[in-house]
Amino acid sequence: MPTLDWIGKRAVINHHRDVPYRLIHCDKSKSAGDPDAGNLLVQGDNLEALKALLPYYAGKVKCIYIDPPYNTGNEGWIYNDNVNSPEIRAWLGKVVGKEAEDLSRHDKWLCMMYPRLRLLKEFLSDDGSLWVSIDDNEVFSLKTICDEIFGRRNFKTTFIWKKVDSPNDNKVPITPDHEFILCYEKEKGEADFSQHDAESILDGYTNRDEDGRLYRDRLLKKNGKNSLRTDRQSMFFPLSAPDGSTVYPVHDDGREACWALGEKGVRGAEKKGLLIWKQRTKGDQLVWVPYTREFAPDTPKRPHFTILSDVKTSRQAKAHQTELLPTVQPFDTVKPEELLQRILSIATSPGDIVMDSFAGSGTTGAVAHKMGRTHISVEMGEHAVTHCVPRLKQVIDGEQGGVSESVVWEGGGGFRYCTLGEPLFDAYGNVSPSVTYPDLAAHVFFCETGSPIPRRADGSTPLIGTFQGRAIYLLHAADSVGVPNAAAGNVLTAAVLETLPLPEEGFTGARIVYAEGCSLPDDRLNALGVTFKQVPYQIEGL
């Protein structure tokens, strides 16, 4: 498969692994509503925030939507990833300029996007999907690196959003009035995308049977394109009419036609009572004509089209944001809530987790909240406080505008506002003294299993969870970090081994014990199916 190369690629291709795991601190003063609703707004660099969230949400997110910088040269974004590369270090802290001013702007953009996309992939569930807004500046570079990261076979389609609803008056010969949204599945064919409701389909069903069911009768003879016998020889065969006569598919001009169903399909319809014969006048005689009866669907739906010209535009979205937040500077590139509503209606169901790591003004979180989805938003700048917090608070209070009438929202729920703290481990790999038992337990379980911890471990038991027949334990004492201390309880001793709780009675699976030290010989541990892993050195992924 073709790949894309650029300055700094070799330095960032695995940079997501070098990003430290950080603590996440919640701020009650900026949170709102029910703190246990499961919704998060995280302020901080999205690369570090994603790494901090990974132990809790890996493989759980149904839909990720991001609206990254388009790299137009007018956005003022700064490349600040701490990558150990001379050419990349020269970019740090400098605003990415326009095409003629900054010859490395596309390299910088790719270096910024690549590790973030690598981490985002880890969050998706097997039936999840990624949606990325972009314009002409980087759409082809984005498609190429997404093919590399997510797999070309998992590319679903490109949506085109018509973002302009008023004519451009700047007299240029061509003005782009659209943006793209690339859509990828985590696993091809697993995303279970939904069609949209289409009540108008019922207009085609004008009859009712004795049970009151709507139906229509469709001519069994095929008309139009590919309707001749020469097109489908297997669809040309005789049928027996109610009077015993033989009927073949023939067009009015005498050409041999074909049936719309094969012999097996016709027999099946006949067996179900759905093959209907009607007498029709042809010339001066009555002839028997076969129809198939189709009943109206209980929930009529149609496929979604990829040209999105029926949702609101940038101008309308900006006006809505100004109405919501009249005292702050509106985003120039804000997306309309209807656009996010369309995406979430295709890709998610109520209760699913939605993530946006370029939250901007908080549109994704606001729409997900109104639609009954759990949402996780990450925003680096002060917009998290000036835009996202007040916007989400209004949603909790019942703000309805922006989405279509199909979403009925009366308020409720809540979110936690969080910031990033210090890394879990210092520069020497030791556990930070400020790390709590639940933080370390979540990280240990994730590194051991690759899955989020099933429930919060509060330290009341050393058993932090089970996974695929393995029981995982953590012996940790906050006052003895880095020092094995049997008295403090962070050493696997014979007495501790005897008291390790089993996940269930009769459990015979492997037991993995993380601790600062161990006083038992390997042969005894092996005989009991116990594996000792020393904290912090044997925590995978450290």
Side-chain angles (χ1 to χ4, degrees):
M1 184 183 76
T3 58
L4 185 66
D5 201 6
W6 64 89
I7 296 172
K9 179 177 182 179
R10 281 185 292 179
V12 301
I13 199 166
N14 289 313
H15 177 55
H16 63 289
R17 296 177 180 171
D18 300 328
V19 178
Y21 290 93
R22 292 185 176 274
L23 297 174
I24 298 176
H25 299 304
C26 293
D27 185 341
K28 291 182 180 180
S29 67
K30 294 185 179 70
S31 303
D34 179 7
D36 297 322
N39 304 309
L40 294 180
L41 170 60
V42 182
Q43 182 179 19
D45 180 89
N46 55 12
L47 188 61
E48 294 188 336
L50 290 174
K51 195 66 176 282
L53 292 165
L54 196 59
Y56 305 93
Y57 295 100
K60 286 188 172 184
V61 177
K62 186 66 181 294
C63 175
I64 296 173
Y65 169 81
I66 58 173
D67 185 13
Y70 286 5
N71 210 16
T72 63
N74 297 317
E75 296 156 308
W77 69 278
I78 298 173
Y79 186 89
N80 265 332
D81 289 353
N82 185 24
V83 180
N84 186 21
S85 165
E87 61 262 296
I88 289 179
R89 286 197 176 279
W91 301 341
L92 297 181
K94 296 180 181 178
V95 174
V96 178
K98 297 180 180 180
E99 189 78 46
E101 301 170 355
D102 189 344
L103 299 181
S104 62
R105 60 190 288 257
H106 299 291
D107 303 281
K108 294 172 183 174
W109 188 88
L110 286 162
C111 285
M112 182 272 292
M113 289 297 297
Y114 197 93
R116 286 161 175 81
L117 290 168
R118 284 290 298 265
L119 279 179
L120 286 170
K121 181 182 179 183
E122 302 302 316
F123 284 92
L124 285 177
S125 58
D126 288 341
D127 58 352
S129 58
L130 170 80
W131 303 67
V132 188
S133 282
I134 201 69
D135 73 357
D136 289 312
N137 284 281
E138 297 291 359
V139 63
F140 301 109
S141 295
L142 176 66
K143 175 68 167 60
T144 305
I145 62 172
C146 282
D147 282 349
E148 182 176 331
I149 293 169
F150 290 88
R152 194 169 189 173
R153 67 186 298 273
N154 294 320
F155 172 69
K156 185 66 178 178
T157 191
T158 299
F159 288 83
I160 297 176
W161 168 51
K162 190 176 186 302
K163 67 176 183 178
V164 176
D165 65 344
S166 57
N168 192 301
D169 60 358
N170 60 10
K171 306 299 188 293
V172 295
I174 299 174
T175 178
D177 65 350
H178 68 279
E179 291 181 4
F180 305 101
I181 304 171
L182 302 190
C183 176
Y184 282 79
E185 296 179 89
K186 174 70 177 294
E187 298 290 345
K188 183 178 176 63
E190 296 297 321
D192 191 27
F193 293 133
S194 300
Q195 295 183 317
H196 71 86
D197 295 335
E199 292 293 326
S200 61
I201 288 178
L202 299 180
D203 296 340
Y205 297 83
T206 57
N207 304 302
R208 290 188 182 273
D209 66 5
E210 59 276 10
D211 296 322
R213 295 181 298 174
L214 283 170
Y215 73 87
R216 64 184 177 189
D217 292 334
R218 303 190 67 154
L219 196 65
L220 181 59
K221 179 178 68 68
K222 192 171 184 180
N223 288 309
K225 188 178 180 181
N226 298 325
S227 64
L228 297 177
R229 177 181 181 179
T230 52
D231 295 321
R232 298 290 297 273
Q233 287 282 357
S234 63
M235 308 287 265
F236 181 86
F237 51 86
L239 293 179
S240 180
D243 64 356
S245 61
T246 299
V247 178
Y248 283 94
V250 179
H251 285 308
D252 291 341
D253 59 6
R255 292 180 300 168
E256 292 180 328
C258 59
W259 301 121
L261 298 175
E263 290 191 65
K264 185 177 179 180
V266 171
R267 304 308 172 205
E270 189 173 30
K271 186 176 181 180
K272 295 176 182 177
L274 301 178
L275 182 64
I276 309 299
W277 288 92
K278 300 180 182 182
Q279 284 190 303
R280 296 286 184 258
T281 301
K282 185 175 184 180
D284 57 355
Q285 59 181 336
L286 288 175
V287 296
W288 287 101
V289 178
Y291 293 77
T292 54
R293 179 155 296 179
E294 293 181 2
F295 288 98
D298 295 331
T299 53
K301 293 182 180 294
R302 291 189 190 277
H304 290 276
F305 298 113
T306 55
I307 306 297
L308 303 177
S309 58
D310 58 339
V311 298
K312 291 180 179 178
T313 62
S314 288
R315 180 190 62 79
Q316 293 168 312
K318 194 172 180 179
H320 178 231
Q321 184 184 123
T322 301
E323 178 186 338
L324 293 175
L325 307 170
T327 61
V328 298
Q329 179 68 28
F331 272 61
D332 290 330
T333 58
V334 63
K335 298 298 183 287
E337 290 194 7
E338 275 192 358
L339 177 62
L340 270 299
Q341 179 187 345
R342 180 68 57 83
I343 291 171
L344 298 188
S345 67
I346 295 172
T348 67
S349 300
D352 287 339
I353 299 177
V354 175
M355 175 177 278
D356 183 350
S357 58
F358 292 86
S361 63
T363 302
T364 304
V367 175
H369 200 111
K370 295 175 185 178
M371 295 180 70
R373 278 65 167 168
T374 300
H375 52 91
I376 303 166
S377 301
V378 180
E379 173 56 27
M380 180 175 180
E382 284 301 312
H383 302 118
V385 177
T386 58
H387 291 67
C388 298
V389 168
R391 187 169 187 178
L392 288 174
K393 285 182 176 179
Q394 289 190 46
V395 172
I396 293 169
D397 291 338
E399 184 271 318
Q400 166 69 25
V403 292
S404 69
E405 294 179 355
S406 62
V407 175
V408 179
W409 175 248
E410 297 179 351
F415 69 94
R416 291 182 187 269
Y417 178 91
C418 305
T419 55
L420 298 178
E422 58 273 30
L424 269 72
F425 305 95
D426 63 21
Y428 302 101
N430 297 314
V431 177
S432 171
S434 59
V435 172
T436 64
Y437 188 93
D439 292 325
L440 185 59
H443 182 76
V444 164
F445 189 89
F446 173 72
C447 291
E448 175 64 34
T449 67
S451 294
I453 194 166
R455 60 187 176 279
R456 187 176 186 274
D458 59 9
S460 59
T461 171
L463 176 63
I464 61 176
T466 59
F467 184 80
Q468 296 181 349
R470 288 177 288 157
I472 295 93
Y473 300 83
L474 173 63
L475 306 177
H476 177 67
D479 56 352
S480 296
V481 173
V483 180
N485 186 340
N490 64 3
V491 176
L492 180 58
T493 64
V496 171
L497 182 60
E498 289 293 328
T499 59
L500 286 181
L502 297 177
E504 59 188 8
E505 188 176 350
F507 178 82
T508 59
R511 291 183 287 172
I512 317 296
V513 182
Y514 284 82
E516 295 275 2
C518 177
S519 62
L520 300 173
D522 289 342
D523 56 352
R524 182 176 178 186
L525 294 177
N526 293 336
L528 295 172
V530 175
T531 301
F532 163 68
K533 292 192 175 183
Q534 188 173 16
V535 175
Y537 311 109
Q538 289 182 283
I539 298 177
E540 298 296 331
L542 176 58

